[in-house]
Amino acid sequence: MKYDSYEPVIGLEIHLQLATQSKAFCADDASFGGDPNTHVSAISLGHPGTLPRLNKKQVEYAVRLGLALGSRINLRNCFDRKNYFYTDLPKGYQITQDRLPVCVGGSLELQMEGYRKTVRLHHIHMEEDAGKSIHDLSPSHSMIDLNRAGVPLLEIVTEPDLHSGEEVDAFMTAMRQLARYLGISDGNMQEGSMRCDVNVSVRKKGDTGFGERCEIKNMNSMRFARQAIEFEVKRQVDLIENGEAVTRSTLNFNPATGTTSPMRDKESAHDYRYFPDPDLPPVVFTQQWVDEVLAQLPVLPKAMHNKFVNEFGLSEYDAKLLTQERETAEFFEKTARACSPLGVGGKSVANLFINKISPWLAETNREIADFPVSAEQLAGYLQLIETGQVSASIANQRIFPELVKSPNTPPLELAQKLNLLQSSDSDFLEKIVDEVLAANPDKVEEYRKGKKGLIGFFMGEVMRASKGKAEPKGANEVVLRKLVG
Ligand code: ADP
Ligand code: MG
């Protein structure tokens, strides 16, 4: 296959909307949604005579992200105007950082299926968003919603280090996870909080130079981004194999056809006439302030993942699941810490989170922050199983549902109330085993003649007769002893 001898080369420009309360340069509400054109003021509408005032949170969030990615932080930051005409840009220019971005360099590590890779960042700069044009509400008019105009953005530019749709997907997912850990953005692609331009070129495998690239604009879904990359790589390889050249261009992706097509020239031919924004003096901050921001960073996903594997003995797979969201990871850690003095290991805690808590949250449509049971109570619950007071299956079926209903009742008390405590009391066990053996004389006979596999049958009967309350290890001993006769 001709495609197999080529390698895609991909670099991303990601726009991340910051979860600040107000906009980048004025006090308008920056939250998503709201009735159209209600989060606006004379400043975001670009009325003459208004002046921008920088939102300090935007700078802090940018620095937080840069530090988490190991970027170098510029202490002196300038803003520039990027001039162009479009109806969703009432000022006629976008405030951005053209010359001096706030963060330079850094990298993000990806854990792929079977290999790790490091993606280098070129830089991160601050800017503001434009409004939204809506073309599908009216057959004759385009609508403009300026609620988004002026919302703070970070543009994250990677080096061309990615080589497949899977890597792009993993990068976007890891970036979203990091943004959420840092509390700087929800990274929600459906709501447009995270979108990306995908730069794609191809080269012969083994080559180190770069081919000519095309830029696919404004991808807001990972599925579409992967489709667009797949289409674009084939298109470029076909061109080269036909002896033609790839021409540098800006493309749209059409989800209906799965194809890319060039934007109209007018849309892509830009001369932005950047110049320093005269209304915004340079922002200068101190290394001491940067150090304070650094000191306040939470434990990051990678460190959390390593801790779960090394300290709590989780598999890579479980650690990945449990570190996806910071709240889940922190709650897991708290629970595992409450469990360890009780002799309950990380693996049992992980099973509880993955097999019981997550499905419960999904069924009740809740977030982990709304989970009613405390780490200490969960530890008490797992201890019941660990010590053999209640069998795992009985606990999961009967006690867990009660515990979420009465989260403050000690699990042991719940087990007593429901009469579910397993008994290793020998009188109780002897009686049940006697009954089971008396009810199955033929099986006892077969066992004694050598069909040792029947032990499983007898244990099953004992558990059934005791309604799960027979403590398995003790019961097993009694059964074996009585079968020997
Ligand atoms: P510009 O500022 O003109 O958009 P940059 O050189 O800053 O261009 O690159 C923008 C994006 O394009 C970056 O994400 C970068 O990694 C990516 N890129 C650059 N060269 C290539 C290439 N040959 N193939 C794929 N992506 C590329
Ligand atoms: Mg660009």
Side-chain angles (χ1 to χ4, degrees), residues 384-420:
L384 285 180
I385 301 172
E386 187 68 31
T387 53
Q389 288 167 283
V390 181
S391 79
S393 62
I394 294 280
N396 285 336
Q397 284 162 31
R398 306 279 311 276
I399 302 181
F400 185 84
E402 288 303 313
L403 186 60
V404 290
K405 273 188 241 159
S406 327
N408 298 317
T409 312
L412 179 60
E413 205 177 303
L414 285 176
Q416 279 161 345
K417 230 195 293 186
L418 295 168
N419 194 22
L420 294 173

Side-chain angles (χ1 to χ4, degrees), residues 99-340:
R99 294 157 299 155
L100 271 182
V102 59
C103 310
V104 179
S107 63
L108 183 60
E109 196 182 273
L110 305 181
Q111 177 61 57
M112 302 300 301
E113 201 84 43
Y115 66 100
R116 259 179 223 278
K117 79 169 289 162
T118 299
V119 178
R120 295 165 304 150
L121 300 178
H122 185 267
H123 75 267
I124 302 171
H125 69 255
M126 298 182 275
E127 59 185 31
E128 58 176 347
D129 212 343
K132 209 163 85 187
S133 313
I134 303 156
H135 304 294
D136 55 5
L137 278 183
S138 154
S140 55
H141 291 76
S142 284
M143 309 288 180
I144 307 288
D145 179 5
L146 294 174
N147 283 355
R148 212 177 66 181
V151 166
L153 294 181
L154 295 180
E155 179 168 333
I156 304 156
V157 182
T158 76
E159 297 289 355
D161 285 350
L162 297 152
H163 298 291
S164 66
E166 289 77 49
E167 290 185 358
V168 170
D169 197 334
F171 185 86
M172 294 290 282
T173 304
M175 191 54 85
R176 174 174 179 274
Q177 178 193 35
L178 184 61
R180 291 171 66 92
Y181 264 69
L182 295 169
I184 63 172
S185 172
D186 62 20
N188 186 330
M189 289 191 87
Q190 279 112 40
E191 293 182 356
S193 312
M194 187 159 116
R195 345 186 258 274
C196 70
D197 302 337
V198 184
N199 296 272
V200 182
S201 65
V202 296
R203 67 183 172 197
K204 279 269 181 197
K205 275 186 185 154
D207 281 1
T208 50
F210 290 106
E212 186 56 280
R213 72 178 194 256
C214 292
E215 178 175 7
I216 314 163
K217 280 287 189 195
N218 243 329
M219 306 298 316
N220 60 1
S221 127
M222 274 331 299
R223 194 162 59 87
F224 293 161
R226 289 171 73 147
Q227 285 175 7
I229 291 166
E230 196 179 325
F231 177 85
E232 190 52 26
V233 167
K234 281 218 174 81
R235 187 186 72 85
Q236 293 185 12
V237 171
D238 287 342
L239 278 174
I240 295 168
E241 289 286 304
N242 285 337
E244 295 170 57
V246 175
T247 36
R248 176 94 159 244
S249 52
T250 309
L251 308 172
N252 276 322
F253 175 69
N254 182 348
T257 56
T259 59
T260 62
S261 55
M263 281 185 158
R264 282 177 292 129
D265 271 356
K266 253 193 260 174
E267 278 180 291
S268 62
H270 278 312
D271 179 358
Y272 293 122
R273 313 235 165 198
Y274 286 101
F275 65 86
D277 192 314
D279 291 339
L280 286 160
V283 187
V284 180
F285 40 85
T286 61
Q287 185 58 44
Q288 188 194 342
W289 179 74
V290 173
D291 292 340
E292 279 164 30
V293 176
L294 179 64
Q296 284 160 17
L297 290 188
V299 179
L300 300 179
K302 187 178 156 198
M304 197 69 105
H305 183 279
N306 290 343
K307 179 154 62 170
F308 284 11
V309 171
N310 299 328
E311 198 171 320
F312 298 120
L314 300 200
S315 66
E316 292 282 332
Y317 181 82
D318 287 357
K320 189 169 179 181
L321 275 182
L322 292 168
T323 52
Q324 266 164 10
E325 295 283 349
R326 175 178 163 186
E327 286 72 20
T328 309
E330 288 179 349
F331 187 47
F332 171 84
E333 183 177 4
K334 198 164 172 219
T335 309
R337 290 208 188 286
C339 279
S340 85

Side-chain angles (χ1 to χ4, degrees), residues 81-85 89 92-94 271-275:
R81 288 186 182 181
K82 176 177 178 176
N83 300 280
Y84 63 100
F85 173 78
L89 189 75
Y93 61 85
Q94 179 191 26
D271 179 358
Y272 293 122
R273 313 235 165 198
Y274 286 101
F275 65 86

